[in-house]
Amino acid sequence: AETVIYRIFYSINRSGNGHLTLRELKRGNLVAAMQQLDEEEDINKILRYFSYEHFYVIYCKFWELDTDHDFLIDKENLIRYGNHSLTYRIVDRVFSQVPRKFTSMTEGKMGYEDFVYFILSEEDKSSEPSLEYWFKCIDLDGNGILTTNEMQFFYEEQLHRMECMAQEPVLFEDILCQMIDMIGPENETYFTLRDLKKCKLSGNIFNILFNLNKFMAFETRDPFLIRQVITVLQ
């Protein structure tokens, strides 16, 4: 029940104040999902909010990271997420509570609700809540734009990790050109949240900057196929 509630608020409560307004309810798809529930016997076919299978995956990942099972996760726990796919720098930003203030009352620890917001943002970077979550993480000075220096700060750790794994490193200058081509920002010297929300592929930007496993999968994709997708989306 808690997981369902957190998922609903994550998607619909755009102000993040913990109170759903009538306007938010009308703009969201909660009512439609509830109507589906009345008509569908198998709850797992309702992918929005109520799927037991989705809950089970989220809860098991939390339980796996929470090694002492005190229902709290620290930085060292979270760094193991996704087979150590995330950088220390992005985990630090999550724990700085910039993208979202923790509801956990224990300093330096995230609780289950905090983890649900994190995992929903990490696993689907194409959603608006996810784009806003990670944009705040990368925007170090909080001025509403992602500069080249800010993105390079996070990418440096990715570069170091590639070298440690004997992978052929991709220079930041090269990857920056790819990101600019992908997003097509209004101003090529920085990215705004508006730029990212206009592009269907913008979630890849964050994978490039701090998720090594997903970045490597992105790098080994079929360039011709991706070019076709970008053309269609534009």
Side-chain angles (χ1 to χ4, degrees), residues 7-21:
R7 291 184 68 189
I8 290 169
F9 273 78
Y10 172 85
S11 297
I12 299 178
N13 183 211
R14 308 303 297 123
S15 64
N17 63 356
H19 301 278
L20 286 183
T21 64

Side-chain angles (χ1 to χ4, degrees), residues 185-209:
E186 291 182 18
N187 186 318
E188 291 194 355
T189 60
Y190 59 79
F191 294 156
T192 65
L193 186 57
R194 182 182 174 187
D195 291 331
L196 299 186
K197 285 184 176 180
K198 287 196 311 188
C199 175
K200 299 289 186 185
L201 298 173
S202 55
N204 288 313
I205 298 295
F206 298 119
N207 288 331
I208 289 168
L209 296 178

Side-chain angles (χ1 to χ4, degrees), residues 51-233:
S51 166
Y52 182 83
E53 290 173 358
H54 285 187
F55 150 73
Y56 190 75
V57 170
I58 293 170
Y59 187 80
C60 284
K61 284 184 181 289
F62 179 82
W63 190 253
E64 177 187 327
L65 296 175
D66 178 22
T67 49
D68 59 3
H69 303 317
D70 63 350
F71 260 73
L72 294 168
I73 287 178
D74 61 20
K75 284 185 187 179
E76 290 306 313
N77 295 141
L78 194 64
I79 206 71
R80 294 189 294 108
Y81 180 85
N83 195 23
H84 294 79
S85 62
L86 301 174
T87 62
Y88 280 95
R89 288 180 177 179
I90 200 66
V91 169
D92 281 343
R93 288 294 282 172
V94 170
F95 273 84
S96 70
Q97 303 181 41
V98 171
R100 182 178 182 271
K101 190 168 178 59
F102 288 172
T103 56
S104 159
M105 296 292 108
T106 308
E107 189 174 349
K109 302 280 185 80
M110 65 158 49
Y112 182 62
E113 179 178 347
D114 309 314
F115 179 76
V116 171
Y117 273 72
F118 160 80
I119 192 173
L120 292 176
S121 299
E122 167 56 24
E123 294 303 326
D124 180 12
K125 294 191 180 74
S126 64
S127 71
E128 283 203 9
S130 176
L131 291 175
E132 291 168 8
Y133 186 98
W134 297 119
F135 187 95
K136 290 175 185 175
C137 285
I138 307 299
D139 184 14
L140 294 171
D141 56 9
N143 67 347
I145 62 173
L146 303 186
T147 64
T148 300
N149 287 341
E150 286 170 327
M151 290 187 281
Q152 188 166 12
F153 172 77
F154 287 94
Y155 188 73
E156 281 172 358
E157 192 175 342
Q158 291 281 67
L159 199 58
H160 177 67
R161 296 168 91 201
M162 279 185 270
E163 290 168 350
C164 290
M165 294 172 63
Q167 297 273 1
E168 185 179 351
V170 184
L171 297 179
F172 179 72
E173 291 74 15
D174 296 332
I175 209 69
L176 180 62
C177 289
Q178 284 191 50
M179 293 194 294
I180 291 172
D181 288 345
M182 191 188 309
I183 301 301
E186 291 182 18
N187 186 318
E188 291 194 355
T189 60
Y190 59 79
F191 294 156
T192 65
L193 186 57
R194 182 182 174 187
D195 291 331
L196 299 186
K197 285 184 176 180
K198 287 196 311 188
C199 175
K200 299 289 186 185
L201 298 173
S202 55
N204 288 313
I205 298 295
F206 298 119
N207 288 331
I208 289 168
L209 296 178
F210 57 75
N211 187 313
L212 187 60
N213 295 347
K214 291 182 180 179
F215 172 46
M216 296 312 295
F218 174 77
E219 272 301 292
T220 55
R221 74 210 184 285
D222 181 344
F224 179 72
L225 183 62
I226 290 294
R227 201 174 299 118
Q228 282 185 315
V229 172
I230 292 174
T231 303
V232 169
L233 291 174

